[in-house]
C-alpha cells in the first residue's frame, strides 16, 4: 500500500486550513490490510462534506464488513489542489492516505446539481479516467448515489454504476457483487453486469438509445426499469452513534440522529417528499438510546434530531421530554430543523434549548391560499400568524421564512402576496414582542422553483431568468423593509440547476466542458461563473432553455423514464391535475393511503411509532 | 469559579499530524475529549451554558507542543490518577494527555501566569558554530524587526529573549533551544528569530520543525512549571 503522507505533509505549509487534510479525528476508522477498499468521496470541501449523513452511514456500514475498509476523501480547496498538481500528488483518502486509484471502489455522492463539475475535478485529481467507457479493469469502479440520482443522466457517462435510493442495505450487496466478480477474474464488462444484477443499481453503460432523441433502452440482463431501494424498518438500521468527529469547524458540527425517514405531506414541488416515501419513524426508545450513545461516544455538545419533518414524528414530545431530562446540567443542546407551521412545533422548540438562540424557521412557500393549495402546502395564513404570535410571545425574536417564486400557475398577485404576508408576520411579531418590538427580525429567503424529476411538477416549465428578475423586482417592491432581511437565490444558478436536474445524457459533454473551462466549485456563490457554463453549453450544442424552461408534453419520453422512485407515474400525473384544480391531497402517514403505489410495489409500508396528528 | 469546584490542571501533548490544528480546533477537540471522558465537568450558568475550561497560550499551526496546559473545573472530586486515565482513553492520538493534578482554586489563570515558552527548533543545512554566530549577532543588535503578513513588528530582544539560545549540532544540522518571553503584545516566533538570524549572516539552512517543549512561569527571578 502506498501511503502518500510524506508527500502530502510538506504541502500543508502553503495552504489554508490544513486540518482538512490530516485525518486522525476521533472516530476515524483505520482497518489494517483490508482486502477491499472503498473510498467515499464528497464532491466538495471537507467542512461541507463532513456534514453528510448518507456518507457517514455508508462509512459505518462498509467498515463493519469483514475485510473491507471504507475511507473518506473530499475535494481539496483550490490552493491545495494546485499544490497537489504541482507536486504530482493524486487525490488521496484521509485514513490511509492512499491514492484513490489504489481503491477498489470509489463512491461519490451527488448532493446538489451544481457540484457536478466537482465530481470531475475529483476524478481528474485522482487520475481516474473521467468517463466509464475509458476505464479498464485496473481502475476502481466509480459508483454514484445520493439526492441527485432521480435524473442522473447529465452525469451518467462518468459513473460505472449509480445506486438509486437508500444505501444502507444495498452498499454491502454492491461490494459483495464486485468482490465476487473480481475474485472470479471477471472483465470490466462482466463486473458491470454483476453490478446491474443488484436491485436498485443502475449501470448507465447498459442503457442506450437506438438513435438520437429516442428513449434509453436497457441491454439485458440490465432491468428495463431500475426501481429504488428503500429500507423497511428504520429501527433495524443502527443509527451512526460513533461518527468521525471533526477537528475543524464544519457545517452542522454536531451529532445527528435521524428520527424518521420520508415525508408524505405531499408538497407537489418537493422531490425529497416524493422519492423517499413511505414514512418510517424510529421508536422513542431507539431515538433516546441513539442520542445517549452518540453523545457519549462523540463528546458533541449538540444533537440535531433530523428528518424531512421532525415535528411530524408521532411521539416527538415524549422524546424531547426524556432527552431534556437526561441532558440536564451537561451543557448539551438539542436542535430541531425547520419546523412545521403550528403551535405544537413552537411548544416543541421551547422544550429544547438550542432553538431560541438561532431563531425559528418556517416554510410557507407561497403567499396566497390559492397557490398553497396548488402546491399542496397545507398551511393557512392563520396557522402562520398564530404560530408566529405564539413564538414571539414565548420570547423568540427572530424567525426565518422560506418562499418560492415561479411555482406553477403563479401570478403577479401571488408574488405581491408574499410581501403582504411578510408584512402581516412582522406586525404580528412586533405586537407579540410588546416592549421588545425593536428586536424583531424576520429573515425572508426566496428561492426560484426548479422543477425536479419524479415529482408531480416534472413536466412543468421553469420560469426564465428574465422572468425571475421581473418577479424578484415585483417582490422587492412589496416586502416591507423595516425589520426584514430579504435574500434571493441566484437566478443563474437556479437556471443551471434546472438544466442539470432534468437534462438527458447529452448534457454530460457540457458538464465536462464546464469543468475544463474552470467551472469547479460552481455551488459556491463567489466561485460561480455563469459565463463558463454558457460557453460550455453552447460549445456542446445544448440549448439549456429547452431543458429548463420548456413545458413537457405528458407522454413525451423523459430522460429518467428508466428509473423509478416507486411512485407511479399515474399518481404524479393525477397530482398535477389536482394541482391545477386547486385540490389538496392528505397525508397518508396520518390518514388513509392516497395511492402513490410505493408501498405495495416495494414491499415497504408506513411505519409510525404512534398515532400522528393530522 | 464557584465554591465546591475542583481545579484540575492537565498537561498534554500536541504532536504528529495534529500539530496542524489551529488553537480553536485544539480547544474544541479537547473539550470534546473531556465530555467523552465523562469527568464531572462544571458548566457556566446562564442562557447558553458551556464547559469551564481554560487553555494556556496558543500554539501556531504546524508547531508541536509536548507540555501544553489546560485547567478544567470539576464539580466533584475524581482522583487525579483516575482522571488522567479517563482523559487519555477519550483523546485522539496526537493530543495525548500526559499528567493531571489538582491546583489551588485561587491561582491566577494559565494565560496570566505563563510567561516563558521554551522551543526546540530543528534546522537543516547549517553547522552549530555558524548558527551560534548568527544568533549572537541578532542578539547583539538588541532589536529585531519581523515582517508577518505584511506588518512589521519590532521586538526588544532583552525582553523577548531572556536567555541565550542553546545550539547543539545534530545529524544534518542543529537543534536550538530557545526560550521566549510571551507578553500581551504578542510573542516572538522562534522560527522567525532563527530565519532572521540565518538571513542576517547569509548562512544557509532551513527550519525543519518547531516544537514547544515547556511553558513556565517566572517567580522571584526563577522559572518554574506552574
Ligand atoms: S402507497 Fe399509500 S401509504 Fe404508501 S406512501 Fe404511497 S400514499 Fe402513502
Amino acid at each position: 500500500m502506498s501511503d502518500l503522507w510524506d508527500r502530502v505533509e510538506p504541502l500543508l505549509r502553503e495552504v489554508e486550513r490544513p486540518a482538512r487534510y490530516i485525518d486522525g479525528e476521533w472516530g476515524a476508522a483505520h482497518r489494517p490490510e483490508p482486502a477491499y477498499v472503498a473510498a467515499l468521496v464528497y464532491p466538495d470541501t471537507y467542512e461541507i462534506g463532513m456534514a453528510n449523513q448518507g456518507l457517514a452511514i455508508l462509512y459505518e456500514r462498509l467498515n463493519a464488513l469483514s475485510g473491507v475498509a471504507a475511507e473518506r476523501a473530499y475535494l481539496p480547496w483550490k490552493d491545495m489542489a494546485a499544490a497537489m498538481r504541482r507536486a504530482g500528488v493524486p487525490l488521496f483518502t484521509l485514513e490511509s492516505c492512499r491514492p484513490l486509484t489504489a481503491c477498489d471502489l470509489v463512491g461519490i455522492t451527488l448532493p446538489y446539481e451544481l457540484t457536478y463539475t466537482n465530481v470531475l475535478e475529483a476524478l481528474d485529481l485522482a487520475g481516474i479516467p473521467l468517463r466509464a467507457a475509458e476505464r479498464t479493469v485496473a481502475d476502481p469502479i466509480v459508483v454514484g448515489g445520493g439526492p441527485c440520482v432521480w435524473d442522473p443522466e447529465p452525469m451518467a457517462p462518468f459513473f460505472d454504476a449509480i445506486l438509486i435510493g437508500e444505501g444502507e442495505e444495498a452498499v454491502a450487496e454492491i461490494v459483495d457483487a464486485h468482490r465476487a466478480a473480481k475474485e472470479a477474474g471477471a472483465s470490466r464488462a462482466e463486473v458491470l453486469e454483476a453490478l446491474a444484477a443488484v436491485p436498485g443499481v443502475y449501470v448507465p453503460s447498459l442503457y442506450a438509445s437506438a438513435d438520437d432523441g429516442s428513449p434509453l433502452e436497457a441491454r439485458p440482463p440490465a432491468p428495463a426499469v431500475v426501481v429504488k431501494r428503500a429500507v423497511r424498518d428504520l429501527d433495524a438500521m443502527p443509527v451512526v452513534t460513533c461518527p468521525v468527529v471533526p477537528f475543524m469547524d464544519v457545517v452542522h458540527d454536531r451529532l445527528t440522529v435521524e428520527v424518521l425517514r420520508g415525508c408524505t405531506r405531499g408538497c407537489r414541488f418537493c422531490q425529497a417528499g416524493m422519492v423517499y416515501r413511505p414514512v418510517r419513524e424510529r421508536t422513542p426508545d431507539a431515538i433516546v438510546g441513539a442520542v445517549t450513545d452518540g453523545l457519549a461516544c462523540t463528546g458533541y455538545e449538540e444533537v440535531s434530531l433530523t428528518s424531512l419533518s421532525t415535528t411530524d414524528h408521532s411521539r416527538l414530545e415524549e422524546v424531547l421530554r426524556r432527552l431534556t431530562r437526561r441532558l440536564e446540567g451537561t451543557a448539551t443542546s438539542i436542535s430541531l430543523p425547520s419546523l412545521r407551521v403550528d403551535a405544537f412545533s413552537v411548544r416543541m422548540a421551547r422544550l429544547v434549548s438550542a432553538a431560541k438562540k438561532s431563531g425559528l424557521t418556517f416554510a410557507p412557500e407561497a403567499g396566497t391560499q390559492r397557490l398553497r393549495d396548488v402546491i399542496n402546502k397545507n398551511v393557512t395564513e392563520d396557522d402562520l400568524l398564530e404560530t408566529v404570535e405564539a413564538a414571539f410571545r414565548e420570547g423568540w425574536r427572530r424567525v426565518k421564512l422560506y418562499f418560492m417564486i415561479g411555482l406553477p400557475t403563479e401570478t403577479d398577485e401571488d408574488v405581491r402576496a408574499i410581501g403582504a404576508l411578510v408584512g402581516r408576520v412582522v406586525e404580528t411579531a412586533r405586537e407579540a414582542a410588546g416592549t421588545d418590538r425593536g428586536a424583531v427580525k424576520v429573515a425572508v429567503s426566496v428561492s426560484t422553483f426548479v422543477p425536479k424529476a419524479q415529482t408531480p411538477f416534472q413536466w412543468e416549465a421553469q420560469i426564465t431568468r428574465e422572468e425571475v428578475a421581473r418577479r424578484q423586482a415585483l417582490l422587492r417592491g412589496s416586502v416591507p423593509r423595516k425589520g426584514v432581511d430579504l435574500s434571493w437565490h441566484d437566478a443563474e444558478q437556479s437556471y443551471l440547476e434546472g438544466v442539470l436536474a432534468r437534462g438527458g445524457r447529452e448534457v454530460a459533454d457540457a458538464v465536462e466542458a464546464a469543468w475544463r473551462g474552470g467551472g469547479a466549485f460552481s455551488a459556491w456563490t463567489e466561485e460561480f461563473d455563469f459565463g463558463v457554463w454558457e460557453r460550455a453549453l453552447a460549445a456542446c450544442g445544448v440549448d439549456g432553455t429547452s431543458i429548463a424552461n420548456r413545458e413537457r408534453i405528458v407522454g413525451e419520453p423523459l430522460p429518467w423514464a428508466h428509473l423509478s422512485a416507486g411512485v407511479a407515474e399515474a399518481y404524479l400525473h393525477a397530482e398535477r391535475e389536482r394541482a391545477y384544480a386547486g385540490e389538496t391531497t392528505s397525508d397518508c402517514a396520518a390518514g388513509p393511503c392516497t395511492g402513490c403505489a410505493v408501498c405495495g410495489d416495494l414491499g415497504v409500508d408506513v411505519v409510525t411509532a404512534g398515532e400522528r396528528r393530522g | 469559579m464557584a465554591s465546591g469546584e475542583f481545579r484540575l490542571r492537565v498537561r498534554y501533548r500536541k504532536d504528529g499530524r495534529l500539530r496542524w490544528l489551529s488553537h480553536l480546533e485544539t480547544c474544541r477537540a479537547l473539550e470534546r475529549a473531556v465530555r467523552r471522558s465523562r469527568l464531572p465537568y462544571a458548566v457556566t450558568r446562564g442562557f447558553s451554558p458551556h464547559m469551564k475550561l481554560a487553555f494556556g497560550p496558543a500554539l501556531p499551526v504546524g508547531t508541536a507542543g509536548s507540555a501544553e496546559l489546560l485547567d478544567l473545573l470539576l464539580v466533584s472530586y475524581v482522583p487525579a490518577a483516575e482522571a488522567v486515565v479517563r482523559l487519555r482513553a477519550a483523546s485522539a492520538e496526537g493530543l495525548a494527555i500526559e499528567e493531571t493534578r489538582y491546583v489551588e482554586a485561587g491561582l491566577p489563570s494559565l494565560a496570566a501566569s505563563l510567561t516563558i515558552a521554551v522551543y526546540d527548533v530543528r534546522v537543516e543545512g547549517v553547522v552549530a558554530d555558524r548558527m551560534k554566530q548568527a544568533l549572537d549577532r541578532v542578539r547583539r543588535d538588541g532589536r529585531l524587526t519581523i515582517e508577518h503578513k505584511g506588518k512589521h513588528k519590532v521586538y526588544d530582544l532583552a525582553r523577548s529573549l531572556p536567555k541565550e539560545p542553546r545550539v547543539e549540532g545534530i545529524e544534518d544540522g542543529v537543534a536550538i533551544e530557545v526560550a521566549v518571553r510571551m507578553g500581551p503584545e504578542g510573542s516572538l516566533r522562534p522560527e522567525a528569530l532563527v530565519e532572521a538570524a540565518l538571513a542576517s549572516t547569509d548562512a544557509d539552512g532551513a527550519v525543519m520543525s518547531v516544537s514547544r517543549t515547556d511553558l513556565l512561569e517566572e517567580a522571584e527571578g526563577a522559572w518554574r512549571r506552574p
Side-chain angles (χ1 to χ4, degrees):
Chain A
M1 184 200 87
S2 61
D3 179 340
L4 296 170
W5 179 250
D6 288 343
R7 293 170 61 201
V8 171
E9 188 168 31
L11 309 179
L12 299 183
R13 283 175 209 286
E14 344 164 5
V15 301
E16 283 171 32
R17 301 175 167 224
R20 285 168 173 151
Y21 312 107
I22 61 175
D23 181 57
E25 307 97 321
W26 185 258
H30 295 91
R31 299 273 172 274
E33 305 191 24
Y36 188 94
V37 182
L40 298 177
V41 182
Y42 189 90
D44 210 317
T45 56
Y46 177 93
E47 65 271 26
I48 313 270
M50 274 298 288
N52 188 272
Q53 277 310 296
L55 287 183
I57 292 172
L58 299 184
Y59 185 76
E60 179 170 283
R61 304 291 288 183
L62 287 170
N63 276 314
L65 301 176
S66 107
V68 177
E71 304 193 345
R72 298 162 297 147
Y74 301 93
L75 191 61
W77 183 241
K78 295 188 297 177
D79 57 351
M80 183 65 168
M84 287 164 64
R85 285 198 167 99
R86 271 198 306 276
V89 174
L91 186 59
F92 54 90
T93 62
L94 292 180
E95 284 79 357
S96 66
C97 215
R98 80 179 73 209
L100 260 56
T101 45
C103 298
D104 299 280
L105 178 149
V106 171
I108 308 179
T109 188
L110 297 171
Y112 171 46
E113 290 82 0
L114 292 185
T115 64
Y116 286 176
T117 43
N118 284 10
V119 171
L120 302 189
E121 172 74 352
L123 288 171
D124 182 69
L125 209 48
I128 296 172
L130 293 189
R131 299 209 175 222
E134 296 158 4
R135 294 180 199 134
T136 71
V137 82
D139 292 305
I141 54 160
V142 179
V143 183
C148 289
V149 302
W150 310 101
D151 171 19
E153 289 310 309
M155 290 302 282
F158 311 116
F159 283 95
D160 295 301
I162 295 172
L163 174 67
I164 312 297
E166 299 167 11
E168 47 256 276
E169 292 170 316
V171 74
E173 297 165 31
I174 291 171
V175 167
D176 281 348
H178 187 212
R179 284 176 88 174
K182 274 191 128 174
E183 271 155 35
S187 66
R188 189 90 181 169
E190 289 162 340
V191 167
L192 295 181
E193 281 184 10
L195 292 174
V198 177
V201 174
Y202 166 48
V203 174
S205 58
L206 299 180
Y207 295 73
S209 41
D211 53 80
D212 260 15
S214 67
L216 295 172
E217 274 174 44
R219 173 150 36 89
V225 174
V226 180
V227 180
K228 79 161 183 193
R229 293 295 293 265
V231 304
R232 256 190 88 74
D233 177 5
L234 205 55
D235 267 352
M237 301 292 127
V239 179
V240 179
T241 51
C242 293
V244 179
V245 182
F247 294 120
M248 199 179 153
D249 191 12
V250 304
V251 301
H252 306 313
D253 191 9
R254 56 191 171 218
L255 178 70
T256 300
V257 173
E258 187 188 22
V259 296
L260 69 102
R261 194 170 290 177
C263 169
T264 39
R265 301 201 138 236
C267 296
R268 293 173 177 132
F269 58 84
C270 177
Q271 193 181 38
M274 291 294 154
V275 301
Y276 297 121
R277 289 169 171 238
V279 163
R280 288 145 292 162
E281 292 183 354
R282 282 200 161 96
T283 56
D285 284 349
I287 296 166
V288 172
V291 171
T292 315
D293 292 351
L295 291 172
C297 190
T298 59
Y300 270 125
E301 52 289 319
E302 181 178 350
V303 56
S304 177
L305 303 180
T306 63
S307 73
L308 291 171
S309 69
T310 297
T311 37
D312 276 343
H313 191 285
S314 53
R315 289 166 73 185
L316 183 67
E317 182 159 8
E318 172 190 342
V319 168
L320 293 181
R321 288 194 189 284
R322 282 168 68 180
L323 285 177
T324 44
R325 214 176 310 130
R326 256 176 207 241
L327 298 178
E328 218 188 308
T330 61
T332 307
S333 56
I334 304 169
S335 61
L336 300 172
S338 136
L339 301 177
R340 207 167 70 183
V341 184
D342 61 14
F344 170 78
S345 298
V346 175
R347 207 145 52 75
M348 293 306 99
R350 232 199 114 194
L351 274 177
V352 306
S353 45
K356 251 189 189 169
K357 291 175 257 164
S358 51
L360 298 179
T361 303
F362 300 105
E365 309 291 7
T368 59
Q369 193 57 47
R370 184 200 70 77
L371 191 51
R372 284 192 297 269
D373 287 345
V374 167
I375 61 176
N376 203 45
K377 185 91 202 179
N378 292 316
V379 167
T380 65
E381 179 163 332
D382 286 350
D383 291 338
L384 180 63
L385 296 179
E386 278 164 26
T387 308
V388 166
E389 198 194 340
F392 283 79
R393 236 188 297 111
E394 289 290 352
W396 271 282
R397 291 296 170 259
R398 283 190 300 152
V399 65
K400 183 165 188 178
L401 304 175
Y402 282 105
F403 289 98
M404 266 191 257
I405 53 168
L407 287 163
T409 76
E410 184 181 66
T411 62
D412 286 0
E413 192 195 322
D414 293 307
V415 177
R416 278 191 293 260
I418 295 176
L421 181 54
V422 169
R424 286 192 290 278
V425 165
V426 173
E427 238 169 76
T428 308
R430 288 227 181 95
E431 226 155 88
T435 53
D436 201 16
R437 61 209 333 262
V440 169
K441 271 266 168 267
V442 178
V444 177
S445 169
V446 183
S447 61
T448 302
F449 170 59
V450 178
K452 293 281 166 101
Q454 323 254 8
T455 68
F457 291 157
Q458 63 178 354
W459 295 277
E460 298 297 326
Q462 181 173 340
I463 58 171
T464 62
R465 279 174 285 145
E466 296 74 29
E467 187 57 20
V468 172
R470 194 187 68 80
R471 292 192 202 182
Q472 284 182 346
L474 198 61
L475 181 52
R476 202 177 297 121
S478 70
V479 170
R481 262 154 236 247
K482 198 158 171 256
V484 177
D485 187 6
L486 185 62
S487 63
W488 309 100
H489 274 208
D490 182 275
E492 289 167 342
Q493 281 184 320
S494 298
Y495 165 71
L496 271 175
E497 182 185 329
V499 173
L500 297 172
R502 289 190 298 164
R505 242 178 232 195
E506 74 283 357
V507 178
D509 289 345
V511 174
E512 184 176 337
W515 166 70
R516 287 192 193 283
F521 291 108
S522 283
W524 294 57
T525 315
E526 63 280 20
E527 298 293 325
F528 176 71
D529 182 348
F530 187 57
V532 165
W533 283 94
E534 270 186 313
R535 287 191 292 278
L537 289 164
C540 300
V542 176
D543 175 10
T545 60
S546 78
I547 298 169
N549 308 127
R550 180 177 63 89
E551 182 178 337
R552 311 293 195 276
I553 303 156
V554 176
E556 169 186 336
L558 298 170
W560 52 91
H562 53 299
L563 305 172
S564 167
V567 176
E569 183 164 307
Y571 182 83
L572 297 179
H573 187 237
E575 277 297 295
R576 186 189 192 216
E577 296 293 310
R578 293 174 70 84
Y580 280 113
E583 288 169 22
T584 59
T585 298
S586 60
D587 181 356
C588 64
C593 172
T594 61
C596 84
V598 159
C599 292
D601 292 358
L602 268 67
V604 286
D605 215 335
V606 179
V607 180
T608 55
E611 192 82 13
R612 279 204 177 192
R613 296 156 312 109
Chain B
M1 165 171 155
S3 64
E5 288 177 350
F6 302 84
R7 183 164 170 184
L8 188 71
R9 182 153 289 175
V10 180
R11 190 180 300 279
Y12 65 94
R13 312 175 66 88
K14 176 188 177 187
D15 53 18
R17 297 182 181 198
L18 300 202
R19 71 178 188 283
W20 294 105
L21 300 183
S22 71
H23 185 59
L24 220 68
E25 289 162 351
T26 309
C27 296
R28 196 169 33 227
L30 287 163
E31 178 179 335
R32 287 177 180 163
V34 171
R35 286 175 180 268
R36 290 191 293 262
S37 76
R38 308 205 133 191
L39 287 174
Y41 57 86
V43 302
T44 59
R45 290 168 184 281
F47 197 44
S48 74
H50 53 267
M51 187 184 294
K52 291 188 179 174
L53 193 63
F55 293 87
L59 266 179
V61 175
T63 301
S66 55
E68 298 299 300
L69 291 165
L70 66 87
D71 280 353
L72 167 67
L73 294 185
L74 300 180
V75 290
S76 58
Y77 178 81
V78 176
E82 184 191 330
V84 76
V85 170
R86 280 163 69 174
L87 281 170
R88 237 175 234 159
S91 298
E93 210 186 309
L95 280 179
I97 308 300
E98 296 273 291
E99 183 202 20
T100 59
R101 65 191 176 85
Y102 286 96
V103 296
E104 233 174 275
L107 287 183
S109 73
L110 286 168
S113 64
L114 295 171
T115 52
I116 302 290
V118 184
Y119 292 90
D120 174 34
V121 184
R122 301 290 164 112
V123 186
E124 204 178 69
V126 67
V127 294
D129 282 348
R130 192 76 207 261
M131 189 72 239
K132 247 189 233 140
Q133 275 166 20
L135 285 166
D136 279 349
R137 182 168 170 166
V138 173
R139 268 166 55 85
R140 268 202 310 277
D141 287 347
R143 284 185 171 278
L144 179 63
T145 307
I146 303 277
E147 196 196 318
H148 188 59
K149 291 183 179 156
K151 279 192 226 137
H152 291 269
K153 216 174 146 141
V154 184
Y155 291 93
D156 167 10
L157 294 187
R159 200 201 114 67
S160 295
L161 213 56
K163 205 164 144 186
E164 186 183 349
R166 217 175 60 214
V167 181
E168 198 185 306
I170 52 167
E171 203 187 335
D172 297 334
V174 296
I176 313 169
E177 189 189 271
V178 192
V180 174
R181 183 176 283 121
M182 301 177 283
E185 68 292 335
S187 15
L188 177 61
R189 280 166 43 250
E191 65 267 50
L193 168 76
V194 172
E195 275 158 7
L198 290 168
S200 75
T201 57
D202 280 325
D204 287 331
V207 175
M208 299 312 290
S209 71
V210 184
S211 52
R212 186 153 77 189
T213 54
D214 229 336
L215 286 169
L216 305 169
E217 51 183 36
E218 294 172 274
E220 291 134 32
W223 294 355
R224 60 161 196 234
R225 282 191 166 190

